[in-house]
């Protein structure tokens, strides 16, 4: 990847953090990463955490799959403690280009309850949970060891989302844009599922309805919503109705 491409990728990772904040999925804790193509390295937010709406491209660091910081400039900086989530998924999932970890409210609640988040509305959104999120419940602690990260990666074979029970969520995607939209969509679908079950018996969309959107996702196509809506929201945060984030 040339310098311009790398700079653009860093900016996209930074935008993802800001959008997770604006949509109520995180405040200071949580992180988006992106694999640098054709390398065993990835871009990620460092420690100490800063407010996610303040994350800029220059704040990000580069790490390798063994947990070494290989790109931080002259800064004396520390890696996030949950880096093994990212490193071990990248190590074992060649098709993953981006990973997000959040402590978002509604999706986490569904995981705590052992309830299924249903693909209820809008095929483009519903693809986020077309494959039911898997569960990692072997350990209630933060995912700080390589062994824990490897277990999460193994659970995510064939799935693009994982409940870390009593903790939060992990999302993967072919690129940062898709993983970010998946995290946002999953939260909305979790809330809609919960409310719909209070008043009736909601039915998930059929695989036939979801198939075209799933095919676009599998090809790594970025949803038009990223360019036409989410990037606009990042530049105009006052346009989005504020939502509180539980961390």
């Amino acid at each position: 990847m040339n310098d311009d491409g790398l700079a653009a990728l860093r900016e996209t990772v930074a935008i993802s953090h800001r959008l997770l904040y604006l949509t109520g999925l995180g405040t200071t804790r949580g992180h988006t990463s992106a694999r640098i193509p054709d390398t065993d390295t990835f871009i990620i937010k460092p420690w100490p955490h800063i407010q996610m709406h303040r994350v800029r491209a220059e704040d990000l660091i580069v790490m390798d799959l063994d947990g070494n910081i290989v790109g931080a400039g002259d800064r004396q900086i520390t890696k996030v403690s949950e880096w093994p989530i990212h490193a071990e998924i990248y190590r074992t999932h060649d098709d993953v280009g981006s990973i997000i970890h959040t402590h978002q409210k509604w999706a986490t609640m569904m995981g705590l309850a052992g309830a299924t988040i249903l693909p209820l509305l809008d095929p483009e959104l519903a693809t986020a949970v077309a494959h039911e999120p898997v569960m990692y419940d072997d350990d209630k602690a933060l995912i700080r060891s390589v062994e824990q990260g490897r277990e999460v990666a193994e659970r995510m074979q064939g799935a693009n989302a994982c409940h870390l029970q009593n903790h939060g969520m992990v999302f993967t995607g072919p690129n940062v844009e898709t993983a970010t939209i998946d995290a946002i969509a999953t939260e909305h679908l979790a809330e809609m599922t919960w409310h719909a079950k209070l008043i009736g018996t909601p039915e998930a969309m059929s695989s036939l309805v979801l198939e075209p959107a799933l095919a676009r996702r599998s090809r790594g196509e970025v949803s038009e919503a990223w360019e036409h809506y989410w990037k606009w929201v990042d530049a105009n945060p006052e346009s989005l109705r504020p939502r509180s984030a539980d961390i």
Side-chain angles (χ1 to χ4, degrees), residues 12-21 23-27 29-35 42-45 52 80 82-87 89-90 96-104 107-108 128 143 152 156 159-164 167-187 217 226:
T12 303
V13 173
I15 289 174
S16 173
H17 284 93
R18 301 196 294 266
L19 289 175
L20 294 176
Y21 179 94
T23 52
L25 307 193
T27 53
R29 293 178 179 145
H31 20 86
T32 296
S33 71
R35 187 200 301 268
F42 57 96
I43 299 166
I44 193 169
K45 187 178 72 165
M52 291 174 77
V80 294
E82 292 181 290
W83 65 266
I85 295 174
H86 302 261
I89 293 175
Y90 287 132
V96 170
S98 179
I99 299 165
I100 290 176
H101 171 47
T102 68
H103 301 157
Q104 58 198 72
T108 300
I143 311 301
V152 172
M156 294 190 72
N160 55 278
C162 179
H163 294 285
L164 305 178
H167 183 174
M169 299 294 297
V170 176
F171 300 93
T172 65
N175 45 57
V176 177
E177 298 92 331
T178 299
T180 304
I181 292 172
D182 277 1
I184 296 168
T186 298
E187 186 73 347
R217 187 187 192 283
W226 181 264

